[in-house]
Amino acid sequence: YNPKTLAFAGYYSVTITTPTGCQNNAGTTVEIITPPVITALSSDVTPCMDGVKPIIFSPSVFPQNALYTFEWTSTNGFTSNLLQPVINNPMQKDTGVYTLIVYNEGCPSIPFAISVRFFMIPPTPEIIGPQFYCEGDSITLISSIELSGQNPKYFWTTPVFGQQTTNENFIGLGIAASNFTGNYTLIIEENGCSSLLSLPFEMEVRPRPSIPE
């Protein structure tokens, strides 16, 4: 006969009596181990990551105990046994759902999961084009970076037209005139994440020589 009862710590014993009246005793001490409780789980991920700033996970566990062990898993293959794991140089492949289980002498907590979602900040672009045009030429400038994410945008700052936005990695500025001379800059954006401002691209528009009579 195998009785079942609520779990209480203590010493449990059993006496076995045979039909002939012979008896034997056995006992064991039962220790009740309380599983930990994960009360919160956070990370310092931001919507746009630059690939340099690390991602640090911070769980809150009750009650606190220095002897706990930790099991982290993720849908992207990540694993760790640290209390506060760190993802260095995070890239797009590091997005996913991260799950933590905390063990107290082998007794697991209820799993606690956190979703990590972010996009990468685009690299700083350069503007590509001739250093000078002649008056009357057709001006086209090109971004060194061609975006492939959702809703790509290119924000061009020009001396004549102010800020112009394109969805392609180039801009046509029309027919060159002397007032087109100056500095041009570019910011690119995809998935809602913007690059740093490009270095100024200095362009000169030169007058064409007069036709001799």
Side-chain angles (χ1 to χ4, degrees):
Y1 176 65
N2 298 311
K4 295 182 180 180
T5 185
L6 296 176
F8 293 101
Y11 181 79
Y12 291 76
S13 64
V14 60
T15 299
I16 301 174
T17 303
T18 67
T20 59
C22 296
Q23 292 185 338
N24 201 355
N25 298 314
T28 187
T29 299
V30 174
E31 178 186 2
I32 304 300
I33 299 173
T34 303
V37 176
I38 304 171
T39 57
L41 178 56
S42 64
S43 77
D44 61 353
V45 69
T46 57
C48 298
M49 300 293 291
D50 61 7
V52 176
K53 177 182 179 294
I55 298 174
I56 303 174
F57 294 93
S58 300
S60 296
V61 183
F62 180 83
Q64 296 183 355
N65 188 328
L67 299 180
Y68 288 159
T69 57
F70 304 89
E71 178 182 276
W72 291 86
T73 57
S74 175
T75 52
N76 59 37
F78 173 87
T79 60
S80 176
N81 58 4
L82 300 177
L83 169 61
Q84 290 184 296
V86 177
I87 300 177
N88 292 307
N89 306 117
M91 302 301 290
Q92 199 66 54
K93 64 179 179 61
D94 296 311
T95 60
V97 177
Y98 290 75
T99 302
L100 171 64
I101 300 175
V102 182
Y103 292 87
N104 181 16
E105 297 185 51
C107 292
S109 68
I110 296 174
F112 202 112
I114 184 174
S115 179
V116 172
R117 296 281 181 256
F118 63 89
F119 290 103
M120 301 304 299
I121 296 174
T124 304
E126 296 179 5
I127 295 178
I128 301 172
Q131 293 295 315
F132 74 90
Y133 284 89
C134 294
E135 287 182 336
D137 288 344
S138 179
I139 297 179
T140 299
L141 300 178
I142 300 173
S143 167
S144 62
I145 305 294
E146 184 172 6
L147 302 173
S148 58
Q150 295 181 1
N151 195 23
K153 293 180 181 178
Y154 301 78
F155 300 100
W156 310 81
T157 301
T158 70
V160 176
F161 303 109
Q163 188 176 89
Q164 299 288 302
T165 304
T166 66
N167 298 115
E168 305 290 342
N169 71 320
F170 62 88
I171 186 172
L173 296 172
I175 303 303
S178 60
N179 60 346
F180 282 58
T181 295
N183 289 328
Y184 293 74
T185 57
L186 174 63
I187 292 174
I188 59 178
E189 177 187 297
E190 66 177 341
N191 303 310
C193 299
S194 298
S195 71
L196 297 176
L197 181 68
S198 72
L199 291 175
F201 175 80
E202 186 174 357
M203 186 182 71
E204 179 186 4
V205 176
R206 301 174 180 176
R208 291 185 182 274
S210 300
I211 299 175
E213 298 181 358

